[in-house]
Amino acid sequence: IANAARHSGAASCRVTFTAADELELRVIDDGDGISPDAGEGVGLPSMRERAAALGGSCTIRRPAEGGTEVLARLPLNARDER
C-alpha cells in the first residue's frame, strides 16, 4: 500500500485477502503500473525476500487492464516451521 501511495499515481488501491490452506494477500492499484524496463529499488525485492523467509512467495505484475498487482502467498503455519 505504501508503494502504491508513493509511486503509482493511483486514485485507488484495493486490498483483499483469503485464508484457507494459505494466507493470500492481494493489493491492486489503478496507477501507472510498473514499466517493464524499470529498475527495482529496495521495496519490491524486500517484499519477495520477506515472503520467501516465511516459506511463501510474492509476485508483482502489471495486469493487462493497467495498474499494479502484488500477490503474496504465505503458509498459515509459518511460525511453527521455524
Side-chain angles (χ1 to χ4, degrees):
I1 297 171
N3 280 350
R6 288 184 192 135
H7 306 295
S8 75
S12 67
C13 182
R14 185 176 71 231
V15 178
T16 59
F17 67 93
T18 59
D21 296 333
E22 63 185 3
L23 174 64
E24 182 178 284
L25 175 67
R26 187 179 310 258
V27 180
I28 302 173
D29 70 48
D30 64 354
D32 299 329
I34 296 174
S35 172
D37 60 344
E40 291 189 339
V42 174
L44 300 179
S46 176
M47 290 190 296
R48 289 185 190 108
E49 289 169 8
R50 290 177 185 181
L54 293 171
S57 65
C58 180
T59 57
I60 297 107
R61 68 181 194 97
R62 184 178 186 170
E65 61 274 9
T68 300
E69 176 186 75
V70 177
L71 175 61
R73 290 188 169 116
L74 306 170
L76 289 175
N77 60 353
R79 292 182 184 252
D80 296 337
E81 293 178 3
R82 291 186 188 175

